[in-house]
Amino acid sequence: MSIRVVIAEDEAIIRLDLRETLEEEGYEVVGECGRGDRAVELVRELRPDLAILDIKMPHMDGLEAARLIGEERICGVLMLTAFSQREVVEEARDAGALAYLVKPYQKSDLIPAMEVAIGRFRELQQLSGEVDSLAAQLEARKVIDRAKGLLIDELGMKESDAFAFIQRTAMSERSRMRDVAERVIDGSLRP
């Protein structure tokens, strides 16, 4: 399966050269444009693996486009630009760019930068999924603890008995302990 790329570069000749280079290397260029706002639309629509963005583009600069793409966690972003000043690089980093390459670039620099950006994005997606899973587990734990507290306070159960009640009920109903705990909290389930 090939890596899918969107190119946003306002200079047509650079965009064409970049497209040819990527296709020669086996990448699939699924969209290209010369405007930042259009780049965001293309990325939302096409869901590529990577967006290569120039910084200076009409209607929306590449930094703002990178920020929007990053906030929505759509794909990795590589900034490909003529600007090498430290403050611009920092702005790109803060906007969510995962790699930064200065023009004129060499193919020997471009491909590794792309692969790093794609790899970092995949790592971030995995970490984000793990964080979401942990947050859901923590929230479920809080609901279960609250239900146990109600069973302890209102029915005088021991903590181990309250937990066992929630666990047994979930098993017998083939439901999640959180769902049982929510029913205990809303008063629709009592031992």
Side-chain angles (χ1 to χ4, degrees):
M1 187 170 165
S2 65
I3 302 291
R4 302 172 70 246
V5 181
V6 166
I7 301 169
E9 163 65 60
D10 63 337
E11 293 183 49
I13 191 76
I14 294 174
R15 197 167 60 234
L16 178 62
D17 181 52
L18 187 56
R19 178 186 196 92
E20 288 176 1
T21 300
L22 295 178
E23 288 176 345
E24 285 173 10
E25 291 295 316
Y27 295 94
E28 181 184 358
V29 177
V30 293
E32 57 183 272
C33 64
R35 298 173 27 172
D37 58 338
R38 181 69 182 129
V40 173
E41 291 171 8
L42 283 173
V43 166
R44 286 175 176 156
E45 176 187 334
L46 301 171
R47 314 301 280 189
D49 300 293
L50 182 70
I52 299 176
L53 308 176
D54 187 12
I55 288 183
K56 296 293 183 192
M57 290 186 287
H59 301 284
M60 177 187 293
D61 68 21
L63 295 171
E64 182 60 26
R67 190 172 291 109
L68 291 171
I69 292 166
E71 285 172 359
E72 296 178 31
R73 296 181 186 159
I74 302 171
C75 68
V77 173
L78 165 70
M79 301 304 297
L80 179 62
T81 183
F83 299 96
S84 61
Q85 297 90 345
R86 181 180 201 92
E87 58 273 1
V88 178
V89 174
E90 289 173 355
E91 283 182 62
R93 178 202 62 213
D94 294 344
L98 299 174
Y100 193 97
L101 195 56
V102 178
K103 293 185 244 178
Y105 64 91
Q106 300 296 314
K107 182 168 41 173
S108 61
D109 296 327
L110 175 64
I111 303 307
M114 290 175 57
E115 292 297 330
V116 165
I118 292 166
R120 285 184 176 166
F121 179 73
R122 288 180 178 156
E123 287 173 3
L124 289 172
Q125 278 186 309
Q126 183 178 358
L127 289 172
S128 178
E130 290 173 12
V131 166
D132 291 346
S133 174
L134 289 171
Q137 289 175 20
L138 178 61
E139 191 57 37
R141 183 84 245 154
K142 288 179 184 177
V143 172
I144 293 166
D145 284 346
R146 185 167 167 222
K148 284 190 323 187
L150 283 171
L151 292 172
I152 291 166
D153 291 345
E154 293 178 6
L155 302 177
M157 296 176 89
K158 293 182 197 171
E159 181 179 5
S160 59
D161 293 337
F163 183 80
F165 168 75
I166 294 169
Q167 187 177 42
R168 275 193 318 273
T169 304
M171 287 173 54
S172 70
E173 294 178 355
R174 296 181 186 258
S175 64
R176 298 179 310 159
M177 288 179 64
R178 178 185 178 143
D179 296 335
V180 171
E182 287 172 346
R183 289 175 41 218
V184 168
I185 291 168
D186 73 17
S188 65
L189 176 65
R190 287 291 186 256

